Amino acid sequence: MNIGKITKVSGPLIEASGLSDANIYDVVEVSKDKLIGEIIEMRGDVASIQVYEETTGIGPGDEVRSTGRPLSVELGPGMLERMYDGIQRPLEKLEELAGNFLTRGVTSPGLDRDKVWEFKALLEKGAEVVPGDILGEVEETTVITHKIMVPNGIKGRLKEIKSGEFKVADTIAVVETEDGDKELNMIQYWPVRKARPIKRKIDPNEPLITGQRVIDTFFPVAKGGTAAIPGPFGSGKTVVQHQIAKYADADIVIYVGCGERGNEMTDVLNEFPELIDPKTGESIMKRTVLIANTSNMPVAAREASIYTGITLAEYFRDMGYNVAMMADSTSRWAEALREMSGRLEEMPGDEGYPAYLASRVAEFYERAGKVEVLGNRDDIGTLSVIGAVSPPGGDLSEPVTQATLRIVKVFWGLDYDLSYQRHFPAINWLNSYSLYQDKMDKFIDKAVDQDFSTHRKRAMSLLQQESGLLEVVRLVGRDALSDDDKLKLNVTKSIREDYLQQNAFHDIDTYCSLDKQDKMLGTILYNYDKSLEALGAGVELKDIENLEVVEAITRLKLVSEDDKARFDQIKEEIDKQIGELIKREAKDA
């Protein structure tokens, strides 16, 4: 073990000399307290180290020991339902060891060494194995089966494998390789800054259904896709991410609270265990891993938390699962980069961020994707990454937002004015976009209704026309508009308030399936078409606006998923009531 001496301390950054055998990104133990740090720069035998804990009281002369290993996470059974800090220390274990407040030098392994798991072998003695092959399974929770895979770098013949009850560090198999026998247990170690290997990436062609109408209908994200949610403080980024984490049709959710307020993670901790997954009937925590590195925790660990989260996500993807990762927020991660860059006295780029900000953001998002996983199997895994961005003052031209938008393919632009009007999700339909739209249209038209994309395009066209009409109304008043344009404003108001707006706290409205979305939007547009017919037949607009069925349309969002017949009944009511108006007009004429 290489030992050096501290020569300088600057907040979370320390310098140590005498580490000639150490490498960049090696983990080190700092001082007698064994604080965890990581080498981020080497100049000769002088290492610059970011320390993942409070450095108060540390001074020149204290020892630094290099472990010779990069910052890695432990991967194996026991990660689901847990809450970790930014470097994968389980917070419940730290609480047991040190109380309610984090104490320096206290650590605990990422996986519980004492818990016994029932391992069921799927391969037999004598089988030839390569990295990624599934040795066996462990029922980690009632909804997720954990697949124990052959670690990277191990290839050969299975000399021994056994089913039974084991702890994660117990030997479950022995592989005969060219370099001798290798004993395998249920733990894999992986350096967080290195992407896990795959066979190849595949073009994503299936939507990640979130249950949020404005997202699924107008700005869908693909399974294996990337999305960004920029918006000012208070515009609803965290709530949108909570909703996606709760209801997206992903098998596994990794939620990273990176530099956000502690009360937001408290909300997650309080809500998630009580939420029932509609697909499984079990708690959503059964398929969730939480990583909390809040704003009052060490700044350097904030930078690591994003990499820890995506490494855990890649591991579950390699089992063949659909994984969704929420990063809230990447701005706090970038601020941690900026702070460490400033302490290293690097040349600053835009707004003080390091010149390599854009490449770091790209490296992170490029780890998402739909992939063919390693091993002698045809499994497909997906990793979707949804990152919140918190630009100061809502300025979308700042460097983090711009670097993110150059990489991601979906932009959900949050609007403070909409959030102020209590319109949730406050996603501005005129600014946002999805580059997956054409592929998702083909998939949804085939899976749900061949007219789904037609309705979507028409509704978006009406919303864009509304923007121009409202300018006219502001200048000369609503009375200057024709009846056709007034009717257009009525239908766009219905699309905005009855369709796009959703109540995250209502039992029925909090989640909306694609089938219900199709029926809701179809009914609103059907009413518009029939109303246009009535106007053409001479019926007055006020008579159309006062129909009883209009009230029923405003309550479409509260119709249960099981009550599909209700939409047909409303269409029949539209036909009946508008038909009566047209008959009456014809009779009077």
Side-chain angles (χ1 to χ4, degrees):
M1 185 180 277
N2 199 5
I3 301 175
K5 297 279 186 185
I6 294 176
T7 56
K8 174 184 169 185
V9 179
S10 172
L13 180 77
I14 66 171
E15 275 188 7
S17 62
L19 292 170
S20 54
D21 293 337
N23 297 307
I24 197 162
Y25 294 136
D26 276 2
V27 170
V28 296
E29 294 173 352
V30 179
S31 81
K32 63 181 186 302
D33 293 331
K34 293 189 176 180
L35 308 187
I36 300 169
E38 182 185 21
I39 297 174
I40 54 174
E41 187 178 83
M42 288 291 298
R43 292 181 184 173
D45 71 340
V46 177
S48 296
I49 299 161
Q50 60 180 4
V51 183
Y52 293 127
E53 301 184 66
E54 180 59 52
T55 57
T56 307
I58 291 172
D62 286 350
E63 284 190 350
V64 173
R65 293 171 179 266
S66 171
T67 62
R69 298 190 313 270
L71 181 66
S72 302
V73 288
E74 293 183 350
L75 305 169
M79 295 189 297
L80 294 174
E81 299 186 87
R82 298 195 86 175
M83 186 175 192
Y84 293 108
D85 76 348
I87 50 176
Q88 209 206 9
R89 295 181 300 181
L91 291 177
E92 68 272 22
K93 282 286 183 188
L94 298 190
E95 185 185 17
E96 283 175 25
L97 295 168
N100 291 334
F101 296 94
L102 284 175
T103 306
R104 288 196 323 179
V106 176
T107 190
S108 178
L111 299 177
D112 189 339
R113 295 296 193 273
D114 298 323
K115 186 164 182 180
V116 175
W117 299 95
E118 182 70 38
F119 173 73
K120 180 185 172 189
L122 295 180
L123 294 180
E124 294 180 357
K125 183 179 173 182
E128 292 291 330
V129 294
V130 295
D133 280 351
I134 296 173
L135 293 169
E137 296 176 343
V138 167
E139 192 176 304
E140 183 168 357
T141 68
T142 47
V143 298
I144 296 294
T145 299
H146 194 111
K147 299 169 185 176
I148 307 299
M149 298 174 287
V150 177
N152 203 43
I154 304 286
K155 180 182 179 183
R157 188 179 65 83
L158 260 184
K159 193 173 179 182
E160 186 184 327
I161 187 167
K162 50 196 173 184
S163 298
E165 294 189 341
F166 299 98
K167 296 176 182 176
V168 287
D170 293 343
T171 300
I172 56 166
V174 178
V175 179
E176 191 180 312
T177 71
E178 291 177 357
D179 303 324
D181 290 355
K182 303 281 185 185
E183 292 185 350
L184 303 184
N185 55 28
M186 292 191 262
I187 306 175
Q188 285 194 28
Y189 295 91
W190 193 264
V192 297
R193 297 180 189 279
K194 181 182 174 187
R196 283 177 63 87
I198 55 171
K199 276 185 194 168
R200 68 183 182 100
K201 277 198 172 183
I202 304 168
D203 203 18
N205 59 356
E206 184 180 342
L208 180 73
I209 309 302
T210 65
Q212 309 306 298
R213 290 186 287 268
V214 65
I215 293 174
D216 292 344
T217 302
F218 291 107
F219 312 110
V221 62
K223 278 182 180 169
T226 52
I229 320 176
F233 172 77
S235 57
K237 295 183 294 294
T238 301
V239 184
V240 171
Q241 284 203 316
H242 285 194
Q243 286 294 99
I244 296 171
K246 291 173 193 172
Y247 298 114
D249 65 338
D251 301 314
I252 309 277
V253 172
I254 311 289
Y255 190 96
V256 182
C258 172
E260 290 301 301
R261 293 171 295 284
N263 62 319
E264 293 181 355
M265 286 311 293
T266 305
D267 286 346
V268 173
L269 271 177
N270 290 337
E271 285 178 22
F272 278 34
E274 295 175 8
L275 281 167
I276 301 302
D277 187 338
K279 296 191 291 291
T280 63
E282 298 276 357
S283 166
I284 277 176
M285 280 302 291
K286 299 277 187 196
R287 58 179 180 89
T288 304
V289 183
L290 300 177
I291 295 172
N293 211 97
T294 51
S295 51
N296 60 331
M297 291 165 103
V299 69
R302 193 183 299 175
E303 194 253 345
S305 64
I306 291 286
Y307 293 110
T308 298
I310 201 153
T311 305
L312 265 58
E314 285 177 332
Y315 176 67
F316 283 111
R317 174 210 67 194
D318 290 347
M319 295 181 198
Y321 286 122
N322 296 311
V323 185
M325 176 183 164
M326 314 293 146
D328 185 16
S329 95
T330 54
S331 292
R332 307 287 172 256
W333 166 56
E335 284 167 12
L337 279 178
R338 178 168 63 182
E339 178 168 339
M340 298 313 295
S341 174
R343 291 184 186 276
L344 284 168
E345 299 177 4
E346 293 174 339
M347 184 69 75
D350 289 350
E351 296 187 22
Y353 287 103
Y356 48 78
L357 172 70
S359 62
R360 289 285 175 89
V361 171
E363 273 173 26
F364 167 65
Y365 280 104
E366 281 167 3
R367 288 172 74 168
K370 181 176 184 178
V371 304
E372 257 184 53
V373 300
L374 292 181
N376 294 314
R377 51 197 177 111
D378 301 322
D379 291 354
I380 303 292
T382 66
L383 169 50
S384 314
V385 177
I386 296 161
V389 187
S390 311
D395 175 20
L396 298 187
S397 65
E398 60 90 41
V400 183
T401 309
Q402 288 303 306
T404 303
L405 293 184
R406 280 197 290 271
I407 297 299
V408 301
K409 294 201 170 181
V410 180
F411 167 55
W412 297 322
L414 292 172
D415 189 321
Y416 186 76
D417 290 338
L418 281 175
S419 64
Y420 189 74
Q421 296 163 22
R422 300 292 185 269
H423 180 110
F424 174 83
I427 294 173
N428 188 313
W429 46 89
L430 298 178
N431 297 346
S432 305
Y433 61 80
S434 170
L435 300 182
Y436 298 114
Q437 191 73 70
D438 291 344
K439 290 176 193 162
M440 300 307 106
D441 279 350
K442 287 176 188 171
F443 182 92
I444 297 172
D445 283 354
K446 190 174 179 181
V448 180
D449 179 3
Q450 61 183 10
D451 294 326
F452 190 95
S453 61
T454 307
H455 290 158
R456 177 193 64 74
K457 289 171 187 168
R458 193 171 171 214
M460 181 53 75
S461 173
L462 287 166
L463 288 168
Q464 288 166 343
Q465 290 172 55
E466 179 196 39
S467 180
L469 290 173
L470 288 176
E471 284 296 318
V472 175
V473 170
R474 274 191 280 272
L475 288 170
V476 294
R478 184 182 166 94
D479 292 342
L481 297 179
S482 66
D483 280 354
D484 279 6
D485 285 342
K486 288 176 184 173
L487 183 63
K488 199 171 282 179
L489 287 181
N490 287 349
V491 72
T492 52
K493 181 172 184 278
S494 180
I495 292 170
R496 283 189 288 108
E497 296 181 4
D498 306 332
Y499 188 75
L500 296 182
Q501 193 171 347
Q502 236 168 309
N503 185 344
F505 298 104
H506 192 283
D507 289 346
I508 293 175
D509 197 32
T510 186
Y511 174 84
C512 188
S513 68
L514 276 181
D515 194 38
K516 184 178 173 184
Q517 291 179 40
D518 175 54
K519 286 180 162 50
M520 282 178 71
L521 192 57
T523 304
I524 291 168
L525 293 174
Y526 185 77
N527 180 54
Y528 176 55
D529 290 336
K530 288 295 178 183
S531 300
L532 279 174
E533 275 182 36
L535 275 183
V539 177
E540 289 193 22
L541 181 62
K542 68 177 190 305
D543 291 336
I544 297 169
E545 291 173 336
N546 292 330
L547 288 174
E548 285 180 17
V549 78
V550 172
E551 174 66 21
I553 291 170
T554 63
R555 300 182 66 79
L556 280 175
K557 60 174 74 175
L558 304 181
V559 174
S560 165
E561 292 278 349
D562 302 326
D563 191 9
K564 300 292 191 318
R566 180 65 184 140
F567 294 96
D568 294 329
Q569 290 169 7
I570 291 173
K571 282 186 177 179
E572 287 170 10
E573 284 296 312
I574 292 168
D575 286 340
K576 181 183 171 187
Q577 291 179 29
I578 287 182
E580 285 172 358
L581 286 179
I582 292 171
K583 281 180 190 173
R584 193 174 71 193
E585 184 61 34
K587 190 177 178 183
D588 292 346

